[in-house]
Amino acid sequence: LEMIWVEPGTFMMGSPESEEGRIGGETQHQVTLTQGFYLGKYEVTQAQYEAVMTGNTDGLSATPSNYSNNPNRPVENVSWSDIQVFLTRLNQSDSSKIPAGWAYVLPTEAQWEYACRAGTTTAYSWGDSISSANANYNRNISSTQDVGQYSPNAWGFFDMHGNVWEWTADRYSSFGSNALTDPTGPASGSDRVIRGGSRGTPGSTLRSASRYDFNPSSRTNNIGFRVGFQSSQ
């Protein structure tokens, strides 16, 4: 897993009312992240998922992807719950190398958007419009693509827009307008947040602020994930 360090900072999360394609629940508000964190440079690939999940005792396939036998494409057909098993196994396998208090995790929704924006305030990390040169979306390609085929954002992250949706740690609720520090989403609720849009969704869903809720036990060939690494101290 190649990871990039993200410095702490403050940004405007959500979208202004004037942003084209904006949906409910994206109310713009200030967010401060007080601790830096690592985040995967790429979406987790089929090969990486298989390496961690082979031999699991939870009855989960180590090769679940609809677009299987493509080791460098993002893994998909994985639920939020499946990913918790993946993270547990990854933390256990790397336990001798992980500093005390650190762990592999799903990023929070705020961490995800902060890394996606990479200091920008536009609809996408590259600007306010989108084309097939920017990302894999709107079925302009018939399947997922190997990670890293499009230009990275300013902080070096690939495929934050398109290819597959990405699970985040947080439960879903609509945003308010109050400033928040290190938000982690609501303490209760059923659905989890997915971010980034996918190969099969329109351009508006790839906006940096775009967010949808999804049942954490569901699996689809449009949803994968990327891994964070952070201290809980």
Side-chain angles (χ1 to χ4, degrees), residues 79-163:
S79 69
W80 188 94
S81 301
D82 296 342
I83 294 165
Q84 304 315 300
V85 176
F86 173 92
L87 292 169
T88 296
R89 290 178 62 84
L90 181 59
N91 281 306
Q92 289 172 345
S93 68
D94 274 12
S95 60
S96 62
K97 310 171 192 175
I98 296 176
W102 285 73
Y104 293 106
V105 296
L106 279 177
T108 67
E109 187 180 8
Q111 289 173 332
W112 191 97
E113 185 172 329
Y114 182 58
C116 177
R117 288 190 175 281
T120 64
T121 58
T122 47
Y124 308 92
S125 63
W126 55 76
D128 284 320
S129 61
I130 186 171
S131 76
S132 59
N134 299 127
N136 180 13
Y137 75 104
N138 206 32
R139 301 187 185 277
N140 56 8
I141 299 173
S142 61
S143 64
T144 57
Q145 294 294 291
D146 286 1
V147 299
Q149 298 303 297
Y150 297 87
S151 297
N153 70 13
W155 291 354
F157 293 105
F158 288 85
D159 300 309
M160 298 294 283
H161 307 274
N163 218 10

Side-chain angles (χ1 to χ4, degrees), residues 65 72 84 99 169 178 207:
S65 295
N72 294 320
Q84 304 315 300
N178 292 337
R207 294 174 301 106

